[in-house]
Amino acid sequence: MSVPANELGNPAHAIFERFLRAGECREVLGCFAELCQQLGLQGSGLQLYHGLKAALNYWNAKALWSKLDKKAGHKDYDQGTACAGTKCLVVGAGPCGLREAIELALLGARVVLLEKRDSFSRNNVLHLWPFTIHDLRALGAKKFYGRFCTGTLDHISIRQLQLILLKVALLLGVEVHINVRFEGLAPPTGKAGGWQAVLQPSSSPLTHYEFDVLISAGGGKFVPEGFKRKETRGKLAIGITTNFINRHSRAEVEVAEISGVARIYNQKFFQNLYNKTGIDLENIVYYKDETHYFVMTAKKQSLLKKGVILQDKADIESLLSPENVNRDALLSYAKEAANFSTNYCLPELEFALNHRDLPDVDMFDFTCMTRSENAALVREHNGSRLLMGLVGDCLVEPFWPLGTGVARGFLAAFDAAWMVRRWAAGTPPLEVLAERESIYQHLSQTSPDNTNKNISQYSIDPATRYSNINLQAIKASQVKDLYLVGMAEVDHKSKSDNRLSIAAPGAVCEELLSWCQASTAGYPGVAVTNFSTSWTSGLALCALIHRFRPDLVDFDSVDPQDAVQTHQVMLDIAEQELGIQPVLSSAEMATMTGPDHLDLITYLSHFYQVFRNSPEVEVSKKPLSPHHTRGAILFLSKLQKSRNLAHKRAQNNAQKDTEAKRSCRDAEPPRERTGENSDACYICGRRVYILERASAEGHFFHRGCFQCQRCGATLRLGDYAFNEEDGHFYCSLHYPNPPSTDLPRDEASALLDGNVDAAAHPPSDAGCLCVSPMEWAPSPLQPTPAAPQAGEEPGEIEDTADVGDMEEQELLAQPGGDVREEEVPRVEPQETAEEGEESGGRRKIILTPLEKLSLSTLNLTGEAEPEPPLKPDRLHLQAAPEALPALWQGQGTWKEEEEKIDMEKDLEESDSEEEEKEEEEGTGLGIMKELYPDPREEEKYPTWKRTLARRARESQMKRFCRAQAIQRRLEEIEVTFRELEQQGIKLEKLLRDENESPADQQTQWTNQLLYLVQKKNNLMTEESDLMIAVQELKLEEQQCQLDEKLRSYMNKEDTLKTAEDEKAEQEILKQLVEVVNKRNVLIQLQEEKRLSELRA
């Protein structure tokens, strides 16, 4: 942005250029003050903006004015008069506070912004949603920062974003004051006065500034009086951020960024990291901007072992206090993780410095995430009203792995600006508050997928951003407590909250007994009168299941003399066909005694939830689908059994000859679990109360004890392995299985049909699937594994790789049966050579079938797509792979494909020709450098390939965000489980107390216990839904890596392919079809669940 020679003599132009390029907060403010002085401009607001525009009319300034004029001309601003006469105070010059100040200035309000610091020093990098990129471009971001979102970049450092927004705010007439701290509010002293701020230093001239709107953007630790925050608590989560100096060398440019990788779907990468370095992480992200920015979630035990945390303490504040952290060890920890994750390709990592001139490494706790209960309130004192609103972290504290902070912060800033507009228009205060709270309900659920796709139409009007929003969802009568007269405070105690209550919902116990009696009436030998002796023979439970699922039980063939066996059969049916886990062993149910009735009541309540709204069915009719989300538990139960069978067969294969094994495969023998004591934990041996009881493989234990024997990872239904030889539970990565044990090819199963006696087969080359680290993962780990730890055999680390590979293939059954190698068609790109001859040696790129499939299955859209993407996951590639060409027929020629992708590219580009030129001339970092290391060669690649690269990166980021949201919710569920368990233990002890309590009291306690059980059941179904989503993420990761490998083979000249290459290409194609089939199974399950919920 150099000034032409004929402009060098104009001092105002030179100052303006220095202002545009200024890289520090003080420098920006100093240049702007000098510019105004040079031009003789005073005042604030849009009047100042118009003065600057009139005085600076050379080409570079004009380009910026055209953008800002276009923004200011939107109808929502009423030509800058919508809020004329409104005086606003914005606290905090973070990105959200500055963005809010800009909107208020465009509305015509007088805006004063306070910032307690005098510098912008945060190097941390923010992920930008497509709408935020478009919004910042519309404000002229590239005029201030030429590298803004160049190429495939979709992120920016906090300090650079603050500098951009500060410059825009100043140009629009916002008054910015640094080194001023907001301490509180000073109410009007008389009827003629207005609201003022208590500031430090008290000598600030702004102490006399009267305003009628206060917007707080001061961060999560600063919330004005009157607002109450609530928290959601997960398991202990420790984050680490670090910034290294970016010298922008060629070697640095060629290192690929990591949009995000999470343990939940790529365990192998993190296991390699741990084996190599001893660093144990849950996730890691790497962005390049002004610095090399890494952020990761570390496990506490790893930090203790590496000496980062000196002493383990229960209090998180004490745990991470400076005196308990070894700073040098923290630096080493962060640097080692950064080196490993980039395959040691970043040369000479040197820490960037923070505002204290110390290495920019920080460790923080994000166990508790907080949000305000309300977004706005109104205060009235001596007849003067003050509208107060929150934006940014003090409204909703972001969960950093999701990358939602700045996006939702901007959305909240737009919402608050809309509120001020309505306020200035004279809308009654209660209506303003009700509408603001109606909009606030949507904020925490927003994502790029569920907001309006036409981002070019976004404005402060919420209807342009939120789909199907109801602005009257909350009525004015519901927000009366947010209108405060005098210095009263909001009565938060009177407001309802979502905390657990153990108040009895009614006579649950009596209702359950009546339902059991009605459901078993008419069966011979069954008379239900209580929850103990009426059930010992097993006939009552058999009758209950037969009433609703006669296809599962032949009541007439049940032997009433063998109660233990009858109960065992019924327990197995309930677990495998209904998704109901046992609470008692069959022996305990057959010898039911008085105190045990609590366990039986708990168990029968599951049947009540499954069958209470189900009609009775005849044997000839189709079986009922599980009620509501119980289907997810059922699916995971069947999936788990399938995996257990696979593990067992794999072990047998390692011990016997493969051919002999295939000739004598038998069904899984029945589990011997009749003598298990449900009151004692199988793992730790201590007492297990009802609410904390879980079961698997016929064993009962505390939920907290259900962990991998090797690594201590939390285990859940559908995602564990049980070793019958040593009796321990393991995660899939650490199951002690011999290597290279493939399942027989003819044992495909169909889980949705209930056939779980056979496991899905993995491909013969299972070792090339998702359990391998991502493409950027360190390859040196393969030949040089870490030394085994105590208790490990030297070969265990290598063995787990094959086990993990096979288990990833066993996740889901393949509904289409076998896919045999001879059935896979060979993809012959014959047209390529012919086209090459016609073009005089320059080969024309033809989309191969699998590349077309890749384009269709990548479901993320560009930033300006007008409609939501289709759902290609529903492609039913369940037949043999020869059906694939039929799917690809009719997709058009290469020319049509190129036109389609070019149209998508055009939608993404800016409407400014100048900006397009800047985009082409800019330096593209990120995944483009990974695919095309030499920038001079980039132009030789076709549009479709660049589109694939961009979409792959977006898909990786989306998958990472979904994984982190799932992980966070699973942790929150775990915390809620513990709260339920504590209350349940207390109630169970009261009920089992030998001191006789009044019957009414006993009934009340029992009802309360059942209420807690119902809450637990609901959480279990939600947890099962999340675990299915985890399986889907793993399959997506497999498909992504298979796509990339297949593309590498197909991009190779046909004449250069060896026989091994052709064989590998066909094998990968076959694996890709299998993965798509497995994803279809999940899609079908989710659709069936959705339909069952609609019917209910």
Side-chain angles (χ1 to χ4, degrees), residues 120-135:
F120 298 152
S121 57
R122 289 183 288 176
N123 293 314
N124 293 355
V125 178
L126 299 172
H127 172 66
L128 300 178
W129 291 5
F131 94 85
T132 54
I133 296 175
H134 185 277
D135 176 68

Side-chain angles (χ1 to χ4, degrees), residues 403-416:
T404 59
V406 69
R408 290 179 179 167
F410 277 23
L411 290 173
F414 299 158
D415 296 337

Side-chain angles (χ1 to χ4, degrees), residues 384-395:
S384 179
R385 291 173 176 170
L386 173 67
L387 175 64
M388 301 175 64
L390 305 179
V391 297
D393 291 2
C394 63
L395 180 63

Side-chain angles (χ1 to χ4, degrees), residues 269-474:
F269 168 75
F270 292 97
Q271 186 61 39
N272 285 340
L273 171 64
Y274 179 77
N275 292 340
K276 176 76 174 180
T277 66
I279 294 173
D280 204 3
L281 303 179
E282 288 288 346
N283 52 51
I284 189 167
V285 173
Y286 161 50
Y287 285 144
K288 275 181 287 192
D289 200 82
E290 293 182 306
T291 62
H292 295 287
Y293 170 68
F294 292 83
V295 57
M296 62 202 81
T297 302
K299 293 190 175 183
K300 183 180 74 171
Q301 290 303 320
S302 170
L303 294 170
L304 287 167
K305 289 181 180 179
K306 298 285 285 185
V308 177
I309 297 178
L310 301 179
Q311 293 182 349
D312 190 5
K313 298 183 180 182
D315 177 44
I316 186 64
E317 189 173 345
S318 301
L319 182 73
L320 300 183
S321 62
E323 55 270 16
N324 197 41
V325 173
N326 184 329
R327 186 75 181 174
D328 292 335
L330 175 61
L331 299 181
S332 175
Y333 190 98
K335 190 171 185 177
E336 206 168 2
N339 272 320
F340 180 92
S341 62
T342 56
N343 202 11
Y344 300 90
C345 291
L346 284 176
E348 301 178 8
L349 281 181
E350 181 180 346
F351 289 102
L353 301 181
N354 60 19
H355 61 286
R356 299 187 183 91
D357 289 331
L358 296 174
D360 194 356
V361 181
D362 188 28
M363 187 162 59
F364 60 96
D365 163 51
F366 61 101
T367 303
C368 298
M369 310 305 298
T370 61
R371 55 174 290 148
S372 176
E373 290 189 350
N374 52 290
L377 58 85
V378 173
R379 287 188 177 275
E380 181 180 340
H381 191 76
N382 287 337
S384 179
R385 291 173 176 170
L386 173 67
L387 175 64
M388 301 175 64
L390 305 179
V391 297
D393 291 2
C394 63
L395 180 63
V396 178
E397 190 175 4
F399 181 50
W400 74 259
L402 300 184
T404 59
V406 69
R408 290 179 179 167
F410 277 23
L411 290 173
F414 299 158
D415 296 337
W418 181 257
M419 173 185 68
V420 176
R421 185 184 190 277
R422 297 271 288 160
W423 173 268
T427 307
L430 289 180
E431 291 185 20
V432 173
L433 292 173
E435 184 178 271
R436 179 68 187 96
E437 298 306 316
S438 298
I439 299 170
Y440 180 44
Q441 288 184 324
H442 291 257
L443 185 62
S444 293
Q445 285 75 44
T446 53
S447 71
D449 292 331
N450 60 24
T451 49
N452 287 337
K453 297 295 182 267
N454 194 356
I455 58 177
S456 63
Q457 299 300 315
Y458 278 21
S459 72
I460 60 174
D461 185 349
T464 65
R465 294 175 279 116
Y466 304 113
S467 302
N468 304 318
I469 189 170
N470 180 9
L471 298 180
Q472 284 81 43
I474 293 178

Side-chain angles (χ1 to χ4, degrees), residues 975-1040:
V975 171
T976 307
F977 267 131
R978 289 200 292 266
E979 295 175 357
L980 287 172
E981 289 168 1
Q982 293 172 1
Q983 298 180 53
I985 291 172
K986 183 186 298 184
L987 285 171
E988 189 174 347
K989 287 180 177 179
L990 291 173
L991 287 166
R992 295 185 185 276
D993 194 353
E994 296 181 358
N995 297 327
E996 293 282 337
S997 300
D1000 292 345
Q1001 185 66 64
Q1002 291 273 347
T1003 301
Q1004 182 181 1
W1005 288 338
T1006 303
N1007 289 336
Q1008 291 176 350
L1009 183 64
L1010 285 180
Y1011 178 63
L1012 295 181
V1013 169
Q1014 183 180 358
K1015 300 278 283 187
K1016 176 185 176 183
N1017 292 345
N1018 293 337
L1019 287 175
M1020 288 181 64
T1021 56
E1022 183 183 358
E1023 183 182 56
S1024 299
D1025 281 335
L1026 294 173
M1027 290 306 299
I1028 289 178
V1030 170
Q1031 308 295 353
E1032 188 173 8
L1033 284 175
K1034 291 181 178 180
L1035 290 173
E1036 287 181 17
E1037 179 74 7
Q1038 289 185 39
Q1039 183 173 344
C1040 177

Side-chain angles (χ1 to χ4, degrees), residues 67 137 142 910 912-919:
K67 281 188 169 293
R137 280 177 175 165
K142 291 187 72 67
S910 169
S912 168
E913 294 183 2
E914 177 196 355
E915 188 167 297
E916 290 175 1
K917 183 178 179 180
E918 290 174 349
E919 288 282 358

Side-chain angles (χ1 to χ4, degrees), residues 470-585:
N470 180 9
L471 298 180
Q472 284 81 43
I474 293 178
K475 306 301 180 184
S477 59
Q478 297 175 268
V479 294
K480 290 182 178 179
D481 57 332
L482 299 180
Y483 191 98
L484 308 177
V485 179
M487 297 307 292
E489 298 297 329
V490 179
D491 185 9
H492 294 284
K493 295 182 179 180
S494 64
K495 301 179 68 174
S496 60
D497 57 38
N498 297 321
R499 289 177 296 178
L500 177 66
S501 171
I502 61 171
V508 182
C509 189
E510 290 80 358
E511 183 180 349
L512 178 62
L513 182 60
S514 299
W515 178 79
C516 291
Q517 290 171 337
S519 300
T520 57
Y523 284 87
V526 178
V528 175
T529 60
N530 55 40
F531 288 114
S532 55
T533 56
S534 298
W535 302 83
T536 53
S537 67
L539 292 178
L541 184 58
C542 180
L544 184 63
I545 297 176
H546 184 269
R547 173 74 71 181
F548 300 98
R549 290 293 303 271
D551 59 301
L552 298 179
V553 178
D554 183 4
F555 183 83
D556 296 332
S557 65
V558 176
D559 182 9
Q561 302 302 319
D562 192 352
V564 174
Q565 181 61 27
T566 299
H567 277 295
Q568 186 61 57
V569 172
M570 293 303 105
L571 289 173
D572 289 340
I573 289 175
E575 183 176 10
Q576 297 168 12
E577 302 296 336
L578 302 176
I580 299 176
Q581 293 183 318
V583 177
L584 291 163
S585 66

